[in-house]
């Protein structure tokens, strides 16, 4: 049985100083799912969260919660709680009192508060920390306290606005797993905001990719990665070679002067298209064996694999491979049909997927004279 929607955003518009921040956004959020709003700074994801929380009213549109329109309903009357990037804990209260705060405001019996705090401390792995001052806790421990306080009143929806951004990489990865486990144990809806692609793919049931106040694509992490809708999504979710192609007919596309079999259909004959090929899906072979050929312009060893930039007719491809190569080598590329994904042309066509600027930046970083000149210019 499909999950029912707990939240429905309908045609939401928000402008600040005459500039559109949300531009006709519509989104259904299912009960008990972990959904992530993903996109660059300024794309509208935090504004969407504020609309749901009740901290901001839309200029136009509706917000339905369990079928009830929340427009005009103040934040404190919504069954929603928010965890911010800065956890907003009370420094003068210990861990126990921070978690108990909301329950005390609601005048719950002390016996019930004590049981609830004890249960929550166990859930967030902070047993024995009841009397600790907030200032003595690590970032990860403070975040756990913030989570416990936020779910103490059993909201139906928990909003998380980049709550892991201040943590170091290892702790961040640990907390990703913990948050996901907590969400599944609690059985409540988590709406998570991040600009970190790996974080979104790792944690989410569904990912909402946003740009310029609009939703570009909604889908499972696998769908978003393997079947991006346009060049923006393909580039934002992982590394991508995005090249111009021509769809000759169903299952056949021309790329860089060579025809490749693919798994896509439904395009017009000879339609100009964007073609996405992930760096890990390309095999490097001797140039005579390749379907298309180019010259290696840079190479970096990343431990598990090499990251190689190959110039093919002026377009620089990124290849991730365990095979070594040297700058200046002539190499061939082999691309299997299931590695090729065809997309319609869009406003993002031509803006992403060429690693010329990528390799130029590497060259500049490796040239101390140019760095010195840049500093002098500033």
């Amino acid at each position: 049985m499909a999950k029912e929607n707990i939240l429905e955003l309908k045609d939401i518009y928000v402008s600040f100083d005459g500039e559109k921040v949300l531009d006709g956004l519509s989104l259904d959020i299912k009960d008990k799912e972990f959904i992530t709003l993903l996109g660059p700074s300024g794309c509208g994801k935090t504004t969407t969260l504020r609309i749901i929380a009740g901290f901001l009213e839309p200029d136009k549109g509706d917000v339905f919660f369990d079928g009830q329109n929340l427009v005009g309903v103040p934040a404190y009357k919504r069954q929603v709680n928010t965890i911010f990037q800065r956890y907003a804990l009370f420094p003068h209260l210990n861990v126990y009192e921070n978690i108990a705060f909301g329950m005390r405001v609601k005048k719950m019996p002390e016996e019930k508060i004590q049981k609830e705090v004890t249960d929550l401390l166990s859930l967030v792995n902070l047993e024995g920390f009841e009397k600790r001052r907030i200032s003595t806790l690590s970032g990860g421990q403070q975040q756990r306290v913030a989570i416990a306080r936020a779910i103490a009143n059993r909201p139906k929806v928990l909003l998380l606005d980049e709550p892991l951004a201040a943590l170091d990489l290892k702790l961040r990865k640990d907390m990703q797993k913990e948050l996901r486990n907590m969400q599944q144990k609690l059985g409540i809806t988590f709406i998570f905001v991040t600009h970190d692609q790996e974080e979104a793919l790792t944690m989410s049931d569904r990912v909402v990719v946003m740009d310029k106040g609009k939703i570009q694509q909604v889908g499972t992490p696998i769908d978003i990665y393997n079947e991006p809708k346009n060049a923006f999504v393909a580039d934002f979710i992982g590394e991508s070679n995005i090249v111009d192609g021509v769809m000759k007919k169903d299952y056949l596309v021309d790329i860089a002067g060579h025809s490749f079999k693919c798994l896509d259909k439904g395009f017009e004959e000879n339609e100009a298209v964007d073609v996405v090929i992930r760096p890990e899906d390309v095999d490097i072979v001797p140039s005579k064996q390749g379907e298309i050929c180019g010259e290696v312009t840079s190479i970096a060893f990343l431990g598990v694999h090499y990251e190689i930039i190959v110039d093919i007719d002026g377009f620089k491809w990124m290849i991730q491979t365990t095979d070594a190569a040297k700058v200046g080598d002539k190499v061939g590329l082999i691309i299997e049909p299931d590695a090729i994904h065809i997309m319609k042309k869009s406003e993002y066509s031509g803006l992403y997927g060429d690693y010329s600027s990528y390799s130029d930046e590497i060259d500049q970083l490796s040239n101390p004279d140019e760095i010195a000149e840049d500093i002098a210019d500033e």
Side-chain angles (χ1 to χ4, degrees), residues 41-242:
S41 297
C43 73
K45 54 190 187 293
T46 294
T47 301
T48 303
L49 217 64
R50 292 176 67 200
I51 292 285
I52 295 169
F55 301 142
L56 180 70
E57 290 292 328
D59 300 331
K60 179 184 172 185
D62 296 298
V63 180
F64 292 96
F65 187 102
D66 273 347
Q68 177 193 357
N69 197 334
L70 291 184
V71 173
V73 176
Y76 72 90
K77 288 189 175 180
R78 302 187 183 196
Q79 289 181 292
V80 172
N81 253 337
T82 307
I83 297 174
F84 301 98
Q85 185 173 333
R86 299 182 184 280
Y87 308 131
L89 297 171
F90 301 116
H92 63 289
L93 299 180
N94 62 22
V95 168
Y96 183 100
E97 293 301 331
N98 262 279
I99 296 172
F101 182 81
M103 291 181 280
R104 292 203 193 286
V105 170
K106 290 192 171 184
K107 297 183 166 52
M108 286 174 57
E110 191 62 37
E111 184 179 326
K112 188 171 182 181
I113 291 176
Q114 185 175 354
K115 181 182 184 309
E116 192 69 19
V117 172
T118 301
D119 290 345
L120 288 167
L121 285 168
S122 175
L123 177 70
V124 298
N125 296 319
L126 285 178
E127 300 100 323
F129 280 70
E130 293 88 337
K131 296 182 180 178
R132 291 277 293 272
R133 295 184 63 83
I134 296 301
S135 60
T136 68
L137 303 181
S138 68
Q141 289 166 342
Q142 288 185 25
Q143 193 209 47
R144 291 190 185 98
V145 175
I147 291 167
R149 186 179 67 181
I151 60 181
N153 288 324
R154 292 293 185 259
K156 288 192 174 182
V157 176
L158 187 64
L159 310 176
L160 302 102
D161 191 3
E162 304 219 36
L164 308 183
L167 306 180
D168 64 60
L169 182 61
K170 184 177 185 307
L171 182 55
R172 188 169 182 156
K173 287 185 178 296
D174 290 343
M175 286 306 301
Q176 287 172 11
K177 294 175 186 172
E178 285 199 31
L179 273 178
R180 183 62 172 146
N181 289 338
M182 276 184 222
Q183 186 265 337
Q184 290 171 338
K185 283 181 185 176
L186 290 164
I188 64 176
T189 302
F190 275 31
I191 306 175
F192 190 90
V193 161
T194 185
H195 61 268
D196 185 304
Q197 302 92 323
E198 183 183 340
E199 200 162 82
L201 294 176
T202 301
M203 301 171 72
S204 315
D205 294 316
R206 288 191 302 154
V207 179
V208 181
V209 184
M210 298 177 63
D211 187 45
K212 299 177 183 176
K214 295 181 179 180
I215 292 173
Q216 301 298 321
Q217 188 170 353
V218 182
T220 67
I222 292 173
D223 288 343
I224 294 284
Y225 188 83
N226 289 335
E227 302 288 334
K229 288 285 176 66
N230 59 38
F232 173 81
V233 176
D235 181 76
F236 199 78
I237 304 290
E239 303 289 353
S240 297
N241 300 296
I242 306 172

